[in-house]
C-alpha cells in the first residue's frame, strides 16, 4: 500500500491508496486561499473584548439556520464600528475565508465590519458624541447653575403630551406661583429638530426666562434620535439660558443630556429640580426664625450678664473713688513741696545773712566805719607806701563819711617788724 504513488485527485483515492491527512488539509487550504473576499451578514452571538490583545475574535451566526463561524479582526476595526458592536448586534462584514491546516478549522478574517440597521445610527451618534466631546461641549466647566427660583420657566414639549402635564402639575404642586412660557412642538420625526431648535431660540431670547426645560416622554431608540442630532445639540450648547434635558426615562441617554446644564431622569424629575418645594422652604424659614430668635435671646442674655459684671465693678459704682486716692497723693505732694520750699528759703536766708556779714566784714566801708581812712593820689590810685608821695604833695582822704584833701608836710620810713617786736 505504501509503495503506490499517492492519488492525484481526491476521487482517485481508495482504501488501499488513501491520502495522508496533510495532503487533504493542503488541498483544502489551496482551494480556500483561491476564494475571493466577500460580504456576509449575521448576528454577533459571542464577543468578549480583551484589551491589550493584538487580535479580536467574535462568533457570527446565521439566525435562520444557526450556522456559526469564528471571525478574527483587528481590535481597532471593531472599535471604529462604534459602541453598537455588541453581542446581539446584526453586522455586515467583508471577510476572507482562512483555513488552518494544523487544526483543520475554517474561519473568517474580517477586513471591514459595519453594524447594520439601527446599529449604523448608533454608530453615527457615537461618532458625533466623540467629536463634540473633543470640542469640549460636554465639559463640566461649561455647565451653568440652575436658578433657585426662576421668574419664568420655558418649556418645550410635544403637543398635548403627557410630559407637559408632568412638568406643570409637579412644578405647580411644589411652587404654586410658578410661571411657564410653553412651546409645543414635534418631538419625533423629521420636523422635531427644526421645531425644537426654533422654540429653543425663541425662549432663550426672552429676558425673563431663567431656565428652559426640553421634555419628552419615553419612546424607542428611533423616536429619541432627534435629540442626538448635532444641530440641536449645538443649539443647546450655544444657549445663554440654563437648559434642563428631560428626554425619555432613566435608561435613555441622547446627546442632549450630555450638553444640557442638568440632566433630569424624567419630566417629573425636571419639575422637582427647577423649583423649590414651598412647604419645605416654609418649614426651613420657620426653623431659621426659631434659631435666629434663640440665638438673639442667648446673645442678649450673655451681653446683659457681661454688662452686669462691668457695672458691678467698684470703679463704676463709685467713679470718684479713683480720684480720691489721686487727690490724697496730690495733697501730700503739695504739702511736701511747700515744706521743701520753706526749708530751701530758710536755708537761703541764712546763707544770705552770712554772706551779708562776710561782705560787711570784708567791705572797705566797714573798715572806714571803724575809723580808718583811704588815701589816694590825684590820679585815684591808693597810697600803700609813704615813699609813693613826696613832701608838699596833695592827697585825697576817703573817710567813712565824706572826703578831704590834704598836703603832705613830711613822710617817715616804715618801722621794721623786728624793731617793733623789740
Amino acid at each position: 500500500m505504501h509503495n503506490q504513488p499517492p492519488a492525484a485527485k481526491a476521487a482517485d483515492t481508495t482504501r488501499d491508496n488513501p491520502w495522508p491527512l496533510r495532503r487533504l488539509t493542503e488541498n483544502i487550504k489551496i482551494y480556500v486561499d483561491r476564494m475571493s473576499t466577500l460580504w456576509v451578514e449575521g448576528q454577533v452571538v459571542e464577543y468578549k473584548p480583551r484589551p491589550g490583545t493584538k487580535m479580536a475574535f467574535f462568533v457570527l451566526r446565521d439566525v435562520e439556520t444557526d450556522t456559526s463561524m469564528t471571525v478574527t479582526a483587528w481590535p481597532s476595526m471593531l472599535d471604529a464600528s462604534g459602541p453598537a458592536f455588541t453581542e446581539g448586534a446584526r453586522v455586515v462584514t467583508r471577510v476572507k475565508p482562512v483555513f488552518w491546516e494544523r487544526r483543520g478549522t475554517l474561519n473568517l478574517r474580517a477586513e471591514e465590519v459595519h453594524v447594520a440597521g439601527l446599529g449604523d445610527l448608533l454608530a453615527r451618534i457615537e461618532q458625533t458624541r466623540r467629536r463634540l466631546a473633543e470640542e469640549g461641549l460636554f465639559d463640566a466647566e461649561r455647565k451653568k447653575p440652575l436658578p433657585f427660583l426662576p421668574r419664568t420657566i420655558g418649556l418645550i414639549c410635544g403637543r398635548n403630551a403627557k410630559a407637559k402635564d408632568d412638568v406643570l402639575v409637579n412644578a405647580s404642586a411644589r411652587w404654586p406661583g410658578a410661571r411657564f412660557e410653553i412651546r409645543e412642538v414635534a418631538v419625533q420625526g423629521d420636523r422635531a429638530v427644526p421645531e425644537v431648535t426654533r422654540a429653543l431660540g425663541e425662549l432663550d431670547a426672552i429676558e425673563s426666562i431663567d431656565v428652559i426645560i426640553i421634555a419628552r416622554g419615553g419612546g424607542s431608540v428611533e423616536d429619541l434620535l432627534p435629540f442626538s442630532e448635532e444641530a440641536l445639540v449645538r443649539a443647546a450648547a450655544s444657549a445663554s439660558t440654563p437648559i434642563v434635558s428631560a428626554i425619555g426615562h432613566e435608561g435613555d441617554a441622547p446627546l442632549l443630556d450630555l450638553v444640557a446644564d442638568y440632566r433630569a431622569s424624567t419630566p417629573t424629575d425636571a419639575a422637582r429640580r427647577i423649583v423649590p418645594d414651598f412647604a419645605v422652604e416654609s418649614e426651613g424659614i420657620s426653623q431659621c426664625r426659631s434659631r435666629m430668635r434663640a440665638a438673639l435671646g442667648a446673645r442678649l442674655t450673655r451681653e446683659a450678664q457681661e454688662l452686669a459684671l462691668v457695672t458691678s465693678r467698684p470703679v463704676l459704682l463709685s467713679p470718684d473713688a479713683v480720684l480720691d486716692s489721686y487727690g490724697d497723693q496730690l495733697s501730700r505732694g503739695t504739702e511736701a513741696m511747700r515744706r521743701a520750699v520753706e526749708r530751701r528759703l530758710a536755708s537761703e536766708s541764712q546763707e544770705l545773712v552770712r554772706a551779708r556779714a562776710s561782705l560787711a566784714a570784708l567791705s572797705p566801708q566797714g573798715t572806714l566805719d571803724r575809723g580808718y581812712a583811704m588815701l589816694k593820689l590825684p590820679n585815684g590810685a591808693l597810697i600803700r607806701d609813704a615813699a609813693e608821695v613826696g613832701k608838699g604833695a596833695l592827697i585825697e582822704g576817703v573817710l567813712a563819711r565824706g572826703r578831704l584833701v590834704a598836703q603832705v608836710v613830711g613822710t617817715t620810713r616804715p618801722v621794721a617788724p623786728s624793731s617793733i617786736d623789740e
Side-chain angles (χ1 to χ4, degrees), residues 9-74:
K9 299 180 180 179
D12 296 336
T13 61
T14 65
R15 178 178 179 181
D16 296 329
N17 189 16
W19 271 358
L21 183 61
R22 66 176 179 276
R23 181 70 176 271
L24 174 61
T25 58
E26 289 173 353
N27 281 281
I28 294 176
K29 179 173 176 56
I30 292 172
Y31 177 78
V32 172
D33 288 346
R34 290 174 180 173
M35 294 181 65
S36 62
T37 58
L38 69 154
W39 289 91
V40 296
E41 179 185 10
Q43 183 180 28
V44 179
V45 294
E46 184 178 340
Y47 172 56
K48 303 296 182 186
R50 293 179 175 85
T53 59
K54 295 182 179 180
M55 188 64 67
F57 301 85
F58 64 92
V59 177
L60 194 64
R61 174 181 295 174
D62 186 291
V63 179
E64 295 182 1
T65 63
D66 286 339
T67 302
S68 300
M69 290 193 71
T70 300
V71 182
T72 62
W74 297 108

Side-chain angles (χ1 to χ4, degrees), residues 59-226:
V59 177
L60 194 64
R61 174 181 295 174
D62 186 291
V63 179
E64 295 182 1
T65 63
D66 286 339
T67 302
S68 300
M69 290 193 71
T70 300
V71 182
T72 62
W74 297 108
S76 58
M77 182 186 305
L78 301 184
D79 292 341
S81 65
F85 184 88
T86 58
E87 292 182 354
R90 185 168 61 89
V91 299
V92 175
T93 176
R94 189 164 69 95
V95 297
K96 176 70 171 67
V98 178
F99 182 76
W100 297 91
E101 296 178 66
R102 293 196 176 188
R103 295 195 300 269
T105 58
L106 178 68
N107 63 14
L108 305 175
R109 183 177 66 241
E111 297 183 359
E112 291 185 47
V113 177
H114 300 277
V115 180
L118 179 60
D120 290 337
L121 296 176
L122 295 178
R124 182 168 57 83
I125 292 175
E126 175 60 18
Q127 293 175 356
T128 303
R129 185 196 68 78
R130 291 182 180 179
R131 185 171 64 256
L132 297 181
E134 291 175 356
E135 295 180 20
L137 265 63
F138 306 148
D139 293 349
E141 294 76 9
R142 298 186 73 258
K143 306 296 183 184
K144 296 178 285 295
L146 301 185
F148 172 72
L149 180 61
R151 294 170 294 175
T152 304
I153 302 165
L155 175 60
I156 301 174
C157 58
R159 295 178 177 87
N160 300 319
K162 185 177 181 300
K164 170 185 174 182
D165 295 334
D166 289 343
V167 173
L168 296 180
V169 171
N170 286 279
S172 298
R174 288 172 62 85
W175 195 267
R179 296 179 54 192
F180 286 88
E181 184 72 24
I182 302 173
R183 296 291 185 273
E184 294 184 352
V185 298
V187 291
Q188 69 183 59
D190 296 338
R191 293 163 46 203
V193 172
E195 290 190 14
V196 173
T197 302
R198 182 170 58 252
L200 178 59
E202 292 176 1
L203 296 179
D204 188 42
I206 300 176
E207 191 274 335
S208 62
I209 293 180
D210 295 326
V211 65
I212 298 173
I213 302 175
I214 303 177
R216 188 201 190 285
S220 65
V221 176
E222 293 91 337
D223 292 339
L224 301 182
L225 286 177

Side-chain angles (χ1 to χ4, degrees), residues 39-40 58 113 127 148 154 260 276 284 286 300 315 330 354 383 403:
W39 289 91
V40 296
F58 64 92
V113 177
Q127 293 175 356
F148 172 72
S286 298
L300 291 175
V315 68
L330 182 60
R354 289 193 294 271
I383 301 173
R403 298 170 180 262

